[in-house]
Amino acid sequence: TQLLEQSPQFLSIQEGENLTVYCNSSSVFSSLQWYRQEPGEGPVLLVTVVTGGEVKKLKRLTFQFGDARKDSSLHITAAQPGDTGLYLCAGKNQAGTALIFGKGTTLSVSS
Amino acid sequence: NAGVMQNPRHLVRRRGQEARLRCSPMKGHSHVYWYRQLPEEGLKFMVYLQKENIIDESGMPKERFSAEFPKEGPSILRIQQVVRGDSAAYFCASSPVAGQFSYEQYFGPGTRLTVT
């Protein structure tokens, strides 16, 4: 069974701090996606990582895919209140027909 | 370019009634996926459809739930004889037909179903 485990489950920080959230699995994924979801809305795709060791940057967000394609991390530099939300990682199941989601990291950034 | 559209955004049903949730995929997307989100369980896959075909329904409950994606019109997720445990947020996602980014799914805003 493919599972994605995210940590920490909750993170509460002050504006300006840096943070890293993790997405781990014992299974290999061909790609991983990161989404951000705000209350009452659907997940919004942030990035897809495909190649082992790949690093992608999106403004203050840095995404890394592990060399073995079993894990990924999201690093946020100088967090802002607008970064508040639920961060989800997801990967395609073995059949390629659906996304498997981690339970997410709920981030709260206060000013 | 309009995103994935879902309606209604909120739906209240009494136990035993039927719930119909609609989803229109992004323009140019012909693959539709339905997911359910419960507070303690996260997002769970339910069903994957292409036009007029169900490709994978391994996540659908065996009874009361059905889905379709007709040649014309939106995809429909139908829940018959709803129970309180069906209360959840239901999300639809769509992806391109094929190609480099066919693994990327784009989500709608969801339908929040409340069963009273």
Side-chain angles (χ1 to χ4, degrees):
Chain A
T1 302
Q2 293 175 289
L3 291 173
L4 286 168
E5 296 189 4
Q6 292 189 244
S7 60
Q9 187 176 356
F10 298 97
L11 192 54
S12 183
I13 61 172
Q14 295 288 318
E15 183 177 4
E17 292 184 30
N18 301 332
L19 67 114
T20 302
V21 299
Y22 300 92
C23 174
N24 294 293
S25 177
S26 58
S27 303
V28 175
F29 285 89
S30 59
S31 66
L32 281 180
Q33 286 85 50
W34 284 91
Y35 291 83
R36 186 165 77 100
Q37 184 179 20
E38 298 191 31
E41 298 297 329
V44 175
L45 181 63
L46 296 175
V47 78
T48 299
V49 286
V50 178
T51 306
E54 182 177 9
V55 177
K56 281 191 173 178
K57 292 193 174 184
L58 185 66
K59 297 182 181 178
R60 294 176 293 99
L61 279 61
T62 301
F63 303 85
Q64 186 162 7
F65 200 12
D67 291 341
R69 292 185 288 136
K70 291 182 178 182
D71 55 87
S72 182
S73 63
L74 159 59
H75 182 80
I76 301 178
T77 303
Q80 299 177 0
D83 295 327
T84 294
L86 175 65
Y87 288 83
L88 297 161
C89 67
K92 269 276 180 85
N93 65 355
Q94 287 182 342
T97 55
L99 287 178
I100 296 168
F101 281 85
K103 291 188 177 182
T105 293
T106 299
L107 173 64
S108 175
V109 183
S110 53
S111 56
Chain B
N1 190 13
V4 178
M5 299 175 67
Q6 290 188 248
N7 67 80
R9 292 291 306 271
H10 300 274
L11 183 62
V12 179
R13 285 287 179 265
R14 292 196 178 119
R15 281 179 295 170
Q17 291 184 320
E18 177 179 288
R20 282 185 180 238
L21 288 61
R22 296 175 185 77
C23 168
S24 296
M26 284 180 70
K27 187 177 180 180
H29 290 189
S30 61
H31 296 203
V32 166
Y33 311 80
W34 285 93
Y35 293 81
R36 178 164 62 176
Q37 188 173 39
L38 292 166
E40 300 302 319
E41 296 183 12
L43 271 161
K44 298 292 186 186
F45 166 74
M46 299 181 74
V47 62
Y48 164 36
L49 309 103
Q50 296 177 16
K51 285 284 188 181
E52 300 183 281
N53 284 303
I54 295 174
I55 308 301
D56 181 354
E57 56 181 349
S58 58
M60 287 276 272
K62 299 297 181 194
E63 297 177 350
R64 302 186 297 108
F65 284 72
S66 62
E68 63 176 5
F69 189 17
K71 186 177 180 180
E72 301 290 338
S75 176
I76 306 286
L77 179 67
R78 182 183 178 204
I79 311 172
Q80 295 179 290
Q81 299 175 338
V82 296
V83 301
R84 287 213 172 111
D86 296 333
S87 295
Y90 292 82
F91 292 96
C92 169
S94 70
S95 65
V97 174
Q100 182 183 4
F101 301 106
S102 62
Y103 46 75
E104 293 187 339
Q105 296 181 17
Y106 296 85
F107 283 78
T111 294
R112 271 104 191 129
L113 172 66
T114 301
V115 180
T116 61

